[in-house]
Amino acid sequence: SWPSAQDQTRNAEMSEGQLRTTHLYDSTSLMAAYTMTSNLFSYLMPVGSFWFGFTAQDPELNKDPSILAWMSTASSLTHKEIWRSNFQREMFLTIRSMVVFGTGVISVKKSGKKIVFKSHHIGFMAFEQNSDQEIDTVYRQIFYTVRQAAQEFGVKNLNKSAKKAYDKNRMNDKFEY
């Protein structure tokens, strides 16, 4: 029901984001997953509507007109930033992951002045629990090309394999981090 993610381990011949187009005989489950994802996304985050707002935890503060005005402005600015970013696309993929696999993971980071959202397949995540059975650590398997790793960590900090590929100008070779 999700051809590009049906293998939780990456096929060496497939690049990230590549869609599987072979051995698809019946698209019923694919279309059902896509339709359910679209409906959930539309109901949870309707385009053109404020689907959340901020309020103060203390009910007395919510009676103050200046605080209400500040909360309204903060809500408007947050909605504007979310819709300006790549949030819609990444949240759609995360909801689709929840529909197909039963779970999904999304990360948020700031890149310059932009907020960047990224959905991740659960197969590239590992979770650890503390003694109270609460998840307190999340590990994510990341694949960078040599060029991306050099940009992220600097050439002098590349591991031996990536450094060897860098020296041979094989910038598209991928390594796990």
Side-chain angles (χ1 to χ4, degrees), residues 142-159 161-163 165-166 170-177:
I142 302 171
F143 296 92
Y144 283 135
T145 63
V146 171
R147 183 178 71 84
Q148 291 169 327
Q151 290 171 339
E152 185 72 20
F153 309 117
V155 175
K156 66 180 182 176
N157 296 318
L158 294 176
N159 63 32
S161 301
K163 179 71 169 106
Y166 183 87
R170 293 192 340 237
M171 297 299 172
N172 291 324
D173 287 8
K174 280 195 175 186
F175 294 91
E176 179 182 344
Y177 292 88

Side-chain angles (χ1 to χ4, degrees), residues 125-141:
M125 308 297 289
F127 304 93
E128 288 189 357
Q129 297 177 343
N130 62 20
S131 61
D132 294 327
Q133 305 305 307
E134 299 168 331
I135 294 174
D136 64 354
T137 306
V138 178
Y139 295 99
R140 182 167 66 97
Q141 187 179 26

Side-chain angles (χ1 to χ4, degrees), residues 43-60:
Y43 286 118
L44 290 173
M45 294 157 274
V47 176
S49 300
F50 274 27
W51 40 275
F52 69 85
F54 298 129
T55 58
Q57 199 169 10
D58 180 355
E60 290 301 312

Side-chain angles (χ1 to χ4, degrees), residues 78-147:
T78 303
H79 275 94
K80 180 182 172 187
E81 286 301 310
I82 283 175
W83 293 120
R84 186 182 65 77
S85 72
N86 67 332
F87 176 82
Q88 286 177 291
R89 181 188 51 163
E90 295 300 326
M91 196 60 202
F92 189 89
L93 290 173
T94 299
I95 292 171
R96 188 169 177 206
S97 181
M98 287 187 243
V99 166
V100 174
F101 300 118
T103 189
V105 182
I106 193 165
S107 65
V108 183
K109 78 175 196 175
K110 194 162 182 164
S111 178
K113 292 186 176 185
K114 291 183 179 181
I115 298 173
V116 179
F117 298 88
K118 178 90 170 121
S119 64
H120 305 283
H121 297 302
I122 196 69
F124 297 113
M125 308 297 289
F127 304 93
E128 288 189 357
Q129 297 177 343
N130 62 20
S131 61
D132 294 327
Q133 305 305 307
E134 299 168 331
I135 294 174
D136 64 354
T137 306
V138 178
Y139 295 99
R140 182 167 66 97
Q141 187 179 26
I142 302 171
F143 296 92
Y144 283 135
T145 63
V146 171
R147 183 178 71 84

Side-chain angles (χ1 to χ4, degrees), residues 4-11 101 121-125 141:
S4 64
Q6 72 183 17
D7 299 322
Q8 286 302 298
T9 56
R10 187 176 309 278
N11 180 336
F101 300 118
H121 297 302
I122 196 69
F124 297 113
M125 308 297 289
Q141 187 179 26

Side-chain angles (χ1 to χ4, degrees), residues 10-79:
R10 187 176 309 278
N11 180 336
E13 288 135 24
M14 290 181 71
S15 62
E16 189 170 353
Q18 181 178 347
L19 293 177
R20 180 182 300 264
T21 56
T22 59
H23 305 298
L24 291 179
Y25 303 107
D26 183 1
S27 64
T28 304
S29 62
L30 184 69
M31 294 311 298
Y34 188 82
T35 302
M36 184 173 182
T37 302
S38 297
N39 288 330
L40 284 171
F41 184 86
S42 298
Y43 286 118
L44 290 173
M45 294 157 274
V47 176
S49 300
F50 274 27
W51 40 275
F52 69 85
F54 298 129
T55 58
Q57 199 169 10
D58 180 355
E60 290 301 312
L61 292 176
N62 289 317
K63 296 176 184 174
D64 183 334
S66 64
I67 294 202
L68 289 174
W70 188 90
M71 294 287 189
S72 177
T73 301
S75 296
S76 296
L77 290 173
T78 303
H79 275 94

